[in-house]
Amino acid sequence: MAAAATMAAAARELVLRAGASDMEEEEGPLGGGPDLQEPLQLGVLDITSDEFILDEVDVHIQANLEDELVKEALKTRMEQMLGAFQSDLSSISSEIRTLQEQSGAMNIRLRNRQAVRGKLGELVDGLVVPTALVTAILEAPVTEPRFLEQLQELDAKAAAVREQEARGTAACADVRGVLDRLRVKAVTKIREFILQKIYSFRKPMTNYQIPQTALLKYRFFYQFLLGNERATAKEIRDEYVETLSKIYLSYYRSYLGRLMKVQYEEVAEKDDLMGVEDTAKKGFFSKPSLRSRNTIFTLGTRGSVISPTELEAPILVPHTAQRGEQRYPFEALFRSQHYALLDNSCREYLFICEFFVVSGTAAHDLFHAVMGRTLSMTLKHLESYLADCYDAIAVFLCIHIVLRFRNIATKRDVPALDRYWEQVLALLWPRFELILEMNVQSVRSTDPQRLGGLDTRPHYITRRYAEFSSALVSINQTFPNERTMQLLGQLQVEVENFVLRVAAEFSSRKEQLVFLINNYDMMLGVLMERAADDSKEVEGFQQLLNARTQEFIEELLSPPFGGLVAFVKEAEALIERGQAERLRGEEARVTQLIRGFGSSWKSSVESLSQDVMRSFTNFRNGTSIIQGALTQLIQLYHRFHRVLSQPQLRALPARAELINIHHLMVELKKHKPNF
């Protein structure tokens, strides 16, 4: 803008000068022209006056700008001014570029210096060994927090020095000696501390739990050894494996031996099978009869061992049990032993993974290096025990204990015991199947004629089966297994066949039915106490019981009311075939039936009620049979009424002697047994 103002001023000056020259040429030196014009009266031209009009000046300027001389002068002068101005701008632009380049270079130098300063600071910090570090490593006990803190600092500095040495940093040589001495001192103190801890595990402990988890707060010690002295780390790991392996083996061998001393003295033997004859003692020193051994085929309270509360209950303490003269079945000992094994194995596996910094296959291998001998010893003991075990319920409970413990180990994320559980099940399942097959065979080969005197009460073999089957079914329901149901199905078939063979030994059909009903009812009742109502066993025996009960009711009504039953069936058949006219020849028979029923039905009902209550051991079952018989009798007499309402018999005089159905129902209710 300053240049433009300058140019405008110059233009005005040129125009004024040109105007003045023109005036001089026209007027001459004196101000007049050739025509002697009047001189210019400047006195009246007051440029300071408000009356001076600038527009006139602009008109003069515009007129002079049209002059060629003015144009040329302006062009020349403007070119000079613009050239100078352009030269000045170029100079300024060059100076600006120079300044920018200098500024950029300064920024780069600054950043480089800052980066170098940061790297040098890190390098110096990594190489400098503080006094606090030296004091802590050399003097502080390893259990003090400051030792652990400075050990982590030493580990970081050692790693930094190794990295810088790999890069060829010469300054590392200045601190290498100091760090090596501190590292050796730290390794020595850590080695002595951890080994002493490991050796302390050898002290006897009453709860069969090794406190190795106390080492976890010092797990960085082992990590330091891995990074700085791998030979010492391997030495410690090997010593841990060797020591703990011996400790576990010793503990469990001792515990297992003490545990077996509190087992029941009387256990099932190879002759204690379902189909074995139940005889009295053969001599003073002979073992008690099988019937007295309720625990062999009866579950009782034994099933509680797999309940959630008892499954993970504290382990049994043998010496405490011995002082209290307590005894336990094998499955309780098995549960205690394997719960201790499960608990310690889970703790051991998780400790190994965390302390020794391993996982996957490495963790699995290290775990089995520690626990392998103990697991093998346990398997051998189980195999030896099962070789002479004939308690199917105990073995089946052990199977379910293992299934549940396997789930617990999975929830705890401990896969190291998976193979062991499979090995245990591989011992238990075949033994359970063998014992079950022995019982099936014993029932199959039982000769009813060798069982001594027979009666219609439930047979002890069927009672054994009912208790045994309900025990297995109730256990299996908590953890369903189709394999078990197949084996029980085989046993059920043999028991049903056995019941039919025994029933065939009775001479009368009525006795046979009483025997069958008593046995079916007993087995059904026992099963329904433990098994679900819709189980195959319950459904099967319910159908058998219903069929035999109906047949028995017919047998029960036959002696006193057989003639009435026969006539009603014959008459209904004739009516159905459209031969009702043949009933006209039955007046005498019908009259005899009417009068016979009216005179004897009360005594007959009383007699059959007493007979039923004597025949059936289950009062409820007997009551149900009586109720069924009376209901069927009412239905029979009602059918008799309908036959007599036929036109052929409607005029029979004896119809007047028929008992009213409602009156009969009222009277029969008096004979219904009360609970």
Side-chain angles (χ1 to χ4, degrees):
M1 292 182 66
T6 304
M7 291 172 63
R12 285 191 177 92
E13 183 181 352
L14 287 174
V15 171
L16 291 174
R17 287 181 182 177
S21 298
D22 290 342
M23 292 175 64
E24 288 177 359
E25 289 178 358
E26 294 176 358
E27 299 178 358
L30 297 176
D35 296 335
L36 297 178
Q37 297 178 348
E38 287 187 11
L40 182 65
Q41 297 297 322
L42 296 176
V44 299
L45 180 62
D46 186 1
I47 61 175
T48 64
S49 172
D50 293 337
E51 297 178 358
F52 182 73
I53 301 173
L54 292 178
D55 290 343
E56 295 179 0
V57 177
D58 291 336
V59 171
H60 278 287
I61 292 174
Q62 186 64 35
N64 289 324
L65 285 175
E66 299 297 329
D67 187 271
E68 293 298 328
L69 179 62
V70 173
K71 288 182 179 180
E72 184 64 27
L74 285 174
K75 178 179 179 183
T76 303
R77 187 168 183 179
M78 289 299 293
E79 286 177 352
Q80 293 174 350
M81 292 176 66
L82 290 174
F85 182 67
Q86 184 177 5
S87 177
D88 292 341
L89 288 178
S90 298
S91 177
I92 291 171
S93 176
S94 176
E95 291 177 0
I96 290 173
R97 284 197 298 271
T98 302
L99 290 174
Q100 287 177 338
E101 291 174 358
Q102 291 175 351
S103 176
M106 292 175 66
N107 285 335
I108 292 173
R109 288 196 297 272
L110 177 62
R111 287 196 298 269
N112 289 340
R113 290 174 180 176
Q114 288 176 340
V116 170
R117 179 181 179 182
K119 293 292 184 181
L120 287 175
E122 292 177 3
L123 177 62
V124 172
D125 290 342
L127 296 180
V128 171
V129 181
T131 304
L133 188 154
V134 176
T135 304
I137 297 300
L138 295 179
E139 300 176 2
V142 296
T143 55
E144 285 191 6
R146 66 188 181 109
F147 179 84
L148 177 59
E149 293 174 2
Q150 295 304 322
L151 183 68
Q152 293 172 334
E153 180 70 16
L154 176 62
D155 185 60
K157 287 189 178 297
V161 168
R162 287 194 296 269
E163 181 181 355
Q164 293 301 325
E165 284 179 335
R167 296 178 179 178
T169 304
C172 294
D174 296 338
V175 295
R176 167 53 66 187
V178 176
L179 291 178
D180 284 345
R181 288 192 293 273
L182 291 175
R183 178 182 59 80
V184 171
K185 182 63 175 179
V187 168
T188 302
K189 294 174 72 172
I190 290 172
R191 176 182 177 276
E192 292 176 358
F193 174 75
I194 295 180
L195 288 179
Q196 286 299 323
K197 282 287 185 182
I198 294 173
Y199 297 150
S200 69
F201 299 155
R202 299 173 181 175
K203 298 178 182 179
M205 282 168 273
T206 57
N207 60 356
Y208 299 95
Q209 290 185 352
I210 301 172
Q212 74 273 51
T213 53
L215 275 175
L216 285 178
K217 62 181 179 180
Y218 304 110
R219 57 183 175 273
F220 183 75
F221 289 179
Y222 186 78
Q223 295 176 22
F224 178 82
L225 295 179
L226 279 178
N228 296 274
E229 192 64 45
R230 299 189 72 86
T232 304
K234 183 178 183 302
E235 177 192 5
I236 287 178
R237 190 179 70 174
D238 292 345
E239 188 63 34
Y240 178 87
V241 169
E242 182 66 20
T243 300
L244 269 292
S245 176
K246 292 179 179 179
I247 291 174
Y248 278 123
L249 180 62
S250 175
Y251 278 4
Y252 277 97
R253 180 178 289 155
S254 172
Y255 181 63
L256 200 51
R258 294 172 181 271
L259 205 57
M260 296 307 295
K261 292 180 181 180
V262 296
Q263 184 184 10
Y264 282 133
E265 295 179 357
E266 190 177 81
V267 296
E269 300 177 359
K270 64 180 179 179
D271 294 329
D272 294 334
L273 300 172
M274 195 172 295
V276 173
E277 182 181 357
D278 189 17
T279 58
K281 295 181 180 179
K282 296 180 179 179
F284 184 78
F285 294 103
S286 63
K287 64 184 181 70
S289 64
L290 189 58
R291 182 181 295 176
S292 65
R293 297 186 182 179
N294 295 327
T295 58
I296 295 177
F297 298 107
T298 304
L299 183 63
T301 60
R302 296 172 68 182
S304 62
V305 73
I306 59 174
S307 66
T309 53
E310 291 197 26
L311 188 67
E312 298 185 63
I315 64 173
L316 299 177
V317 182
H319 64 270
T320 303
Q322 284 180 316
R323 285 202 302 266
E325 297 184 353
Q326 292 176 290
R327 293 292 181 268
Y328 301 91
F330 176 71
E331 66 271 10
L333 309 182
F334 182 89
R335 196 276 324 169
S336 182
Q337 170 204 352
H338 279 82
Y339 184 63
L341 189 64
L342 168 70
D343 208 35
N344 278 301
S345 294
C346 289
R347 186 182 299 107
E348 184 62 41
Y349 179 81
L350 296 175
F351 170 80
I352 284 173
C353 291
E354 190 170 355
F355 186 82
F356 291 106
V357 198
V358 290
S359 61
T361 303
H364 182 276
D365 293 343
L366 187 57
F367 171 82
H368 281 278
V370 174
M371 298 296 298
R373 296 168 65 186
T374 300
L375 298 178
S376 297
M377 180 274 296
T378 305
L379 288 172
K380 288 181 180 178
H381 175 270
L382 179 62
E383 184 178 13
S384 175
Y385 180 86
L386 291 177
D388 197 35
C389 176
Y390 299 92
D391 188 346
I393 291 179
V395 177
F396 195 54
L397 284 171
C398 290
I399 289 173
H400 278 263
I401 289 170
V402 171
L403 294 176
R404 285 160 174 77
F405 281 168
R406 184 171 63 181
N407 280 355
I408 293 174
T410 301
K411 290 179 181 178
R412 295 183 182 181
D413 197 21
V414 178
L417 284 174
D418 289 351
R419 185 169 179 271
Y420 174 76
W421 299 131
E422 293 300 326
Q423 290 175 315
V424 174
L425 291 174
L427 294 175
L428 293 171
W429 271 117
R431 189 63 190 180
F432 173 70
E433 293 175 358
L434 175 63
I435 299 172
L436 207 57
E437 179 58 34
M438 292 172 65
N439 280 282
V440 170
Q441 184 60 38
S442 70
V443 175
R444 182 185 298 132
S445 60
T446 299
D447 183 0
Q449 295 182 351
R450 296 180 57 187
L451 297 178
L454 297 175
D455 59 47
T456 58
R457 291 174 297 177
H459 199 276
Y460 59 84
I461 290 180
T462 58
R463 182 173 293 280
R464 292 174 188 168
Y465 163 77
E467 295 288 352
F468 182 72
S469 180
S470 66
L472 298 189
V473 169
S474 63
I475 296 170
N476 196 61
Q477 284 177 342
T478 62
F479 212 108
N481 183 277
E482 188 61 29
R483 191 175 183 180
T484 305
M485 302 311 300
Q486 294 174 356
L487 295 171
L488 283 176
Q490 298 174 12
L491 181 60
Q492 181 179 346
V493 170
E494 293 302 327
V495 171
E496 290 177 6
N497 293 336
F498 166 76
V499 172
L500 293 175
R501 291 201 305 271
V502 176
E505 296 295 315
F506 293 95
S507 57
S508 69
R509 182 56 180 167
K510 181 181 176 181
E511 287 183 315
Q512 293 176 0
L513 291 172
V514 170
F515 175 79
L516 290 174
I517 291 172
N518 275 331
N519 281 273
Y520 292 153
D521 176 66
M522 181 273 299
M523 289 188 284
L524 184 63
V526 174
L527 283 169
M528 290 183 68
E529 289 180 2
R530 297 186 180 276
D533 293 342
D534 59 349
S535 67
K536 293 180 180 180
E537 293 78 11
V538 170
E539 183 179 354
F541 283 115
Q542 186 68 65
Q543 293 175 353
L544 290 172
L545 178 62
N546 292 341
R548 299 290 80 78
T549 299
Q550 181 59 37
E551 186 179 354
F552 175 77
I553 290 175
E554 294 177 0
E555 286 286 333
L556 188 66
L557 296 176
S558 180
F561 307 108
L564 184 62
V565 172
F567 172 76
V568 170
K569 288 182 178 180
E570 292 172 10
E572 288 176 341
L574 289 173
I575 296 170
E576 185 178 355
R577 293 196 301 267
Q579 301 174 356
E581 285 298 322
R582 295 177 59 181
L583 293 175
R584 295 186 184 279
E586 299 291 341
E587 288 87 350
R589 182 183 179 189
V590 172
T591 300
Q592 183 179 359
L593 288 173
I594 292 173
R595 291 172 180 172
F597 183 86
S599 62
S600 64
W601 73 268
K602 288 186 178 181
S603 59
S604 297
V605 168
E606 183 66 30
S607 177
L608 69 84
S609 297
Q610 294 177 0
D611 187 18
V612 168
M613 299 310 294
R614 285 194 302 268
S615 300
F616 298 100
T617 54
N618 185 343
F619 181 76
R620 289 179 179 272
N621 185 43
T623 301
S624 177
I625 292 174
I626 293 174
Q627 183 65 32
L630 297 180
T631 300
Q632 193 161 326
L633 180 59
I634 292 174
Q635 293 173 349
L636 173 66
Y637 202 65
H638 182 65
R639 290 161 60 193
F640 184 54
H641 269 254
R642 285 190 300 179
V643 171
L644 295 185
S645 66
Q646 295 295 315
Q648 294 78 10
L649 298 174
R650 194 177 297 164
L652 187 67
R655 286 186 75 249
E657 301 177 30
L658 283 172
I659 301 174
N660 181 273
I661 290 294
H662 295 289
H663 175 71
L664 180 63
M665 292 174 63
V666 172
E667 289 296 321
L668 287 178
K669 284 184 178 180
K670 298 177 181 178
H671 292 272
K672 180 181 178 181
N674 296 319
F675 293 104

